[in-house]
């Protein structure tokens, strides 16, 4: 069984945001899958997806602090500066974290660990709406 | 064809560990798949999975050295410190390396390169047992 | 529907290279898939795959500059030095960016965003030819 949905998330501020609920709500066929996979793909190169801790907002703030330090806006050696100081840094952060991931589906639900949630990582100051392609497959 | 298995790995010390053998042993249907994919997912946010060199233990030690330097325990700017100095660093390392990956299956075997192996990357000093969800699919 | 192909890319210089066209050309069944996934896997541990900006060559040069700084060749603490100063750094870069990714297929095409392209990231000075396993699946 295959199902594919487009999901557009409204603009979010720069930072790391929990989107597990929005993703699950966009895939109404999830309860029909006994064993399968949900593939989540972000159609952008300056935002990314990851799975991390779903409870403490300070974890998400620390992600932002760490990546801002590890990949500095306007790094002196960047050549691609035309689209602003946060653009090239955003491309690199996005590739380090990734635009795609597959999550297991088990007995009609995402088989995440207790503390896992899906993050949208917005690396630009004004990233705008972000579009995802959700692809569900599995055995009923 | 779909098969899904849970695999719990016993506690491992902080560092990078080869687990290819354990993963393959947990998926007895592998030889039945002519062309397919094995999805490996770790249900935790302070350990991760990657594929890298399968022969030299010094490579795995260098991974540990590098990531300890790149994401320092107890970094002064971390706000989330309640669960110990290695907790927040572990979340970040885990997202950089990732909790999920799919590997190709070909003629009944994982289609890894000659030098590739699956690593469990344990980012905590006392991470405890780690649970994986293995999802196999393919054509027989 | 399942299809699996091997694709060997000719040697490329160290750096980040767009390979979207080569990948698509190697999967002639793509137009038959209404909704599905293409899994791309690199059978090496010193090169990697990512999705990023597909238009500006300066973005790809900045990727190379950034990663060369973030994971220095011949870092003093590396123990695995037998295969040259770029070898261990290459393993780490490869794991940060990853050897595997799945991309959505929609109405017979890769469902990439307007600005997204597939990069082969060559982390070695003389990496040689690189082999990929392409696994396509989906509903017709």
């Amino acid at each position: 069984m295959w199902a594919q949905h487009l999901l557009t998330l409204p603009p979010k501020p720069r930072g790391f945001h929990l989107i597990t609920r929005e993703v699950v709500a966009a895939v109404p066929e999830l309860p029909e899958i006994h064993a399968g996979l949900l593939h989540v793909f972000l159609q952008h190169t300056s935002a990314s997806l990851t799975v991390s801790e779903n409870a403490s907002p300070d974890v998400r703030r620390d992600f932002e602090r760490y990546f801002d330090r590890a990949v500095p806006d306007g790094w002196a050696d960047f050549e691609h500066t035309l689209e602003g100081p946060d653009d090239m840094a955003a491309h690199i952060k996005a590739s380090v974290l990734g635009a795609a991931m597959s999550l297991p589906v088990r007995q009609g639900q995402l088989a995440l660990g207790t503390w896992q949630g899906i993050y949208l990582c917005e690396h630009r100051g004004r990233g705008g709406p972000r579009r995802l392609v959700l692809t569900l497959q599995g055995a009923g």
Side-chain angles (χ1 to χ4, degrees), chain A residues 7-28:
Chain A
L7 168 63
T8 301
L9 296 173
K12 293 184 191 297
R14 179 166 167 161
F16 290 72
H17 306 275
L18 266 178
I19 59 164
T20 316
R21 230 171 288 170
E22 288 92 324
V23 169
V24 168
V27 192

Side-chain angles (χ1 to χ4, degrees), chain A residues 72-87:
Chain A
D73 281 10
W75 188 46
D77 287 3
F78 285 147
E79 181 186 349
H80 179 78
T81 55
L82 206 68
E83 298 170 58
D86 61 346
D87 184 63

Side-chain angles (χ1 to χ4, degrees), chain A residues 45-58:
Chain A
T45 61
S46 56
S48 59
L49 298 170
T50 194
V51 165
S52 190
E53 214 258 7
N54 63 12
S56 312
D58 54 359

Side-chain angles (χ1 to χ4, degrees), chain A residues 70-133:
Chain A
V71 192
D73 281 10
W75 188 46
D77 287 3
F78 285 147
E79 181 186 349
H80 179 78
T81 55
L82 206 68
E83 298 170 58
D86 61 346
D87 184 63
M88 191 58 224
H91 291 318
I92 289 172
K93 291 171 189 168
S95 279
V96 167
L97 289 165
M101 63 186 174
S102 289
L103 303 170
V105 178
R106 194 168 169 83
Q107 297 168 0
Q109 297 191 308
L110 284 184
L112 298 175
T114 312
W115 303 105
Q116 287 182 312
I118 305 171
Y119 286 14
L120 175 78
C121 320
E122 176 56 71
H123 302 304
R124 297 220 62 180
R126 305 184 69 166
R130 296 299 195 176
R131 197 159 61 161
L132 291 94
V133 184

